[in-house]
């Protein structure tokens, strides 16, 4: 494709994340993208969302027709769960890929997909939008100026999804979806979870798939974007209430970040909390930093960054300097730059593999607390392999 041509894009999955942020972001960047197709397992929802996305946008429920279409340059994968199978099929079909997290559940898949993209000369970008937030780069530079961080604390307040999206008038799936595709995807995820962890209790396997790879993985990608190295093991990890009683348990884990710094991750399921909250706090010898990330499902809400240093006693507020474009918009801009101009990919398969290794180490610590032995890739990481 010409570097001046818009990227001809197909969006796969017409659910909450697509309707709330991806399609508005694509429309905002109309000079960079030409939205060609919306694909969803529910033909009626695909048609409704495509009709609202602009003239000439087609609808389909058949992913295969998109892969076979020579007029499609790239796919944005926004379906639930792991995206390894869909990403592999797209790369093999010669399409560039922007995949929502998680890209995959095993480091082996990450290595395979990264090698496939490289050999084909294609872009494979993971949708870690927090890495692209305009304040993340600012926070990384400020963090580099602090002397000897001691504690890095990540706190997530996760409400139920419904209150977060009730302001949106979204198209809902009808009963015309092919559920056999969903069943096949769930079976694939279950198999890959065994590859990752071995035969662990079902509740812990589900926590790895749904909470750790569905939410906590965002925090790990953000820590990497801030210039921090992820723990290879955890000193402690706890879930409560446990065992699971119909809702995901909260998480508290501590690990070593190196250079005398400790990481504290506190993920909280608070279904009745009024809104999503996510804070990264760094406590250093000579100051502190607090980064509050913008809530998801919103296009125009800014993150906030506050830094205090001992030498001047002044709090620096960087929020107002960086406009209203969220990480969702910035990551699409980066994707277009990589596809059109060959710009480096910041959030590729190698980074996803680092996150997966860290999550597997976290599961190993959780399993040890319950007297359970992990297997699969997690056992290799636990043994330093």
């Amino acid at each position: 494709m010409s570097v001046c041509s818009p990227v001809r894009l197909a969006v796969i999955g017409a659910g909450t994340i697509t309707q709330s942020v991806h399609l508005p972001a694509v429309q905002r960047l109309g000079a960079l993208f030409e939205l060609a197709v919306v694909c969803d397992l529910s033909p009626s929802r695909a048609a409704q969302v495509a009709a609202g996305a602009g003239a000439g946008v087609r609808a389909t429920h058949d992913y295969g027709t998109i892969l076979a279409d020579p007029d499609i340059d790239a796919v944005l994968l926004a379906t639930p769960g792991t995206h390894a199978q869909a990403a592999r099929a797209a790369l093999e079909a010669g399409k560039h890929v922007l995949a929502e997290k998680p890209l995959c559940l095993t480091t082996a898949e990450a290595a395979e997909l990264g090698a496939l993209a490289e050999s084909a000369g294609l872009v494979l970008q993971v949708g870690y939008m927090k890495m692209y937030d305009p304040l993340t780069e600012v926070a990384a530079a400020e963090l580099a100026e602090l002397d000897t961080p001691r504690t890095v604390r990540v706190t997530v307040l996760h409400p139920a999804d419904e209150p977060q999206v009730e302001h949106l008038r979204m198209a809902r799936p009808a009963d015309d979806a092919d559920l056999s595709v969903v069943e096949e995807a769930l079976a694939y995820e279950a198999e890959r979870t065994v590859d990752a962890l071995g035969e662990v209790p079902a509740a812990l396997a589900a926590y790895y798939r749904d909470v750790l790879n569905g939410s906590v993985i965002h925090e790990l990608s953000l820590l990497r974007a801030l210039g921090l190295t992820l723990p290879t093991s955890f000193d402690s990890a706890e879930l409560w209430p446990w065992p699971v009683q119909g809702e995901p348990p909260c998480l508290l884990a501590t690990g070593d970040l190196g250079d005398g710094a400790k990481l504290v991750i506190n993920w909280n399921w608070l279904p009745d909390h009024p809104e999503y909250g996510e804070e990264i706090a760094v406590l250093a010898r000579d100051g502190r930093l607090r980064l509050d990330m913008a809530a998801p499902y919103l296009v125009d809400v800014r993150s906030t960054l506050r830094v205090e240093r001992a030498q001047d006693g002044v709090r620096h507020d960087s929020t107002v300097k960086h406009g209203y474009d969220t990480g969702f918009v910035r990551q699409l801009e980066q994707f277009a730059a990589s596809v059109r101009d060959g710009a480096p990919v910041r959030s590729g398969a190698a980074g996803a593999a680092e996150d997966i290794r860290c999550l597997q180490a976290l599961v190993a610590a959780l399993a040890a607390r319950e007297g359970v032995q992990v297997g699969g890739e997690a056992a290799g990481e636990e043994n330093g392999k």
Side-chain angles (χ1 to χ4, degrees):
M1 63 177 293
S2 167
V3 295
C4 297
S5 302
V7 177
R8 297 169 297 184
L9 183 69
V11 175
I12 317 302
T16 299
I17 196 69
T18 288
Q19 294 183 55
S20 62
V21 291
H22 283 315
L23 290 183
V26 169
Q27 291 165 347
R28 180 174 294 188
L29 300 173
L32 299 180
F33 292 96
E34 176 188 330
L35 179 60
V37 186
V38 172
C39 177
D40 194 87
L41 289 179
S42 169
S44 59
R45 180 163 72 172
Q48 184 177 352
V49 173
V57 180
R58 308 192 309 275
T60 183
H61 66 282
D62 185 355
Y63 186 42
T65 62
I66 291 173
L67 300 183
D69 188 342
D71 292 329
I72 301 297
D73 300 313
V75 297
L76 193 167
L77 302 177
T79 52
T82 176
H83 300 93
Q85 288 178 296
R88 184 184 301 111
L91 293 170
E92 290 174 344
K95 311 299 183 188
H96 302 283
V97 174
L98 171 55
E100 268 291 344
K101 54 76 194 164
L103 174 64
C104 50
L105 297 176
T106 67
T107 58
E109 291 172 296
E112 175 201 355
L113 293 169
L116 181 57
E118 183 176 3
S119 65
L122 295 167
V123 174
L124 173 59
Q125 180 176 319
V126 184
Y128 288 141
M129 79 288 187
K130 300 176 196 296
M131 296 183 71
Y132 297 91
D133 188 284
L135 283 183
T136 298
E137 186 175 354
V138 180
E142 294 279 7
L143 178 56
E145 294 298 317
L146 291 177
D147 180 23
T148 317
R150 293 303 190 196
T151 299
V152 177
R153 186 179 64 240
V154 178
T155 307
V156 176
L157 289 66
H158 202 302
D161 285 340
E162 289 76 10
Q164 299 183 72
V165 299
E166 62 186 1
H167 64 287
L168 303 170
R169 294 180 175 86
M170 295 191 300
R172 301 292 182 180
D175 58 0
D176 56 353
D178 183 357
L179 297 183
S180 67
V181 177
V182 177
E183 293 169 357
E184 292 173 4
L186 292 175
Y188 178 87
E189 286 193 342
E191 293 171 357
R192 298 294 79 74
T193 302
V194 173
D195 291 342
L197 307 177
E199 297 287 353
V200 299
L204 190 55
Y207 199 77
Y208 175 73
R209 289 192 301 269
D210 300 336
V211 174
L212 297 185
N213 275 284
S215 180
V216 176
I217 199 168
H218 267 312
E219 322 316 323
L220 302 185
S221 69
L222 182 54
L223 291 173
R224 290 191 291 105
L226 292 175
L228 299 169
T229 301
L230 300 181
T232 57
S233 63
F234 283 83
D235 306 319
S236 65
E238 178 182 1
L239 298 175
W240 78 94
W242 186 260
V244 177
Q245 301 295 330
E247 293 186 340
C250 301
L251 167 71
L252 179 64
T254 62
D256 190 350
L257 287 172
D259 297 325
K262 290 287 186 179
L263 170 66
V264 180
I265 298 177
N266 181 209
W267 187 93
N268 301 274
W269 173 249
L270 305 172
D272 299 323
H273 198 266
E275 60 184 23
Y276 181 91
E278 179 180 355
E279 171 198 300
I280 294 85
V282 180
L283 309 179
R285 287 182 47 156
D286 65 340
R288 61 181 178 174
L289 175 152
R290 174 172 168 170
L291 176 62
D292 288 280
M293 302 304 297
Y297 309 127
L298 300 169
V299 179
D300 297 318
V301 174
R302 294 182 291 187
S303 300
T304 62
L305 174 65
R306 294 178 176 87
V307 181
E308 297 178 7
R309 289 196 179 88
Q311 64 265 33
D312 56 21
V314 176
R315 187 179 77 180
H316 306 280
D317 188 335
S318 299
T319 306
V320 298
K321 302 177 183 178
H322 297 278
Y324 280 96
D325 281 345
T326 66
F328 286 105
V329 174
R330 297 293 181 90
Q331 76 172 357
L332 274 169
E333 288 180 321
Q334 181 64 49
F335 184 59
S338 297
V339 171
R340 289 160 37 121
D341 308 324
V345 177
R346 290 179 56 196
S347 56
E354 290 184 49
D355 300 335
I356 292 168
R357 289 189 191 97
C358 187
L359 292 180
Q360 290 175 357
L362 180 50
V363 171
L366 291 169
R369 182 181 178 87
E370 299 299 320
V372 175
Q373 189 74 29
V374 295
E377 292 181 341
E381 292 299 322
E382 189 179 31
N383 296 326
K385 296 179 182 177

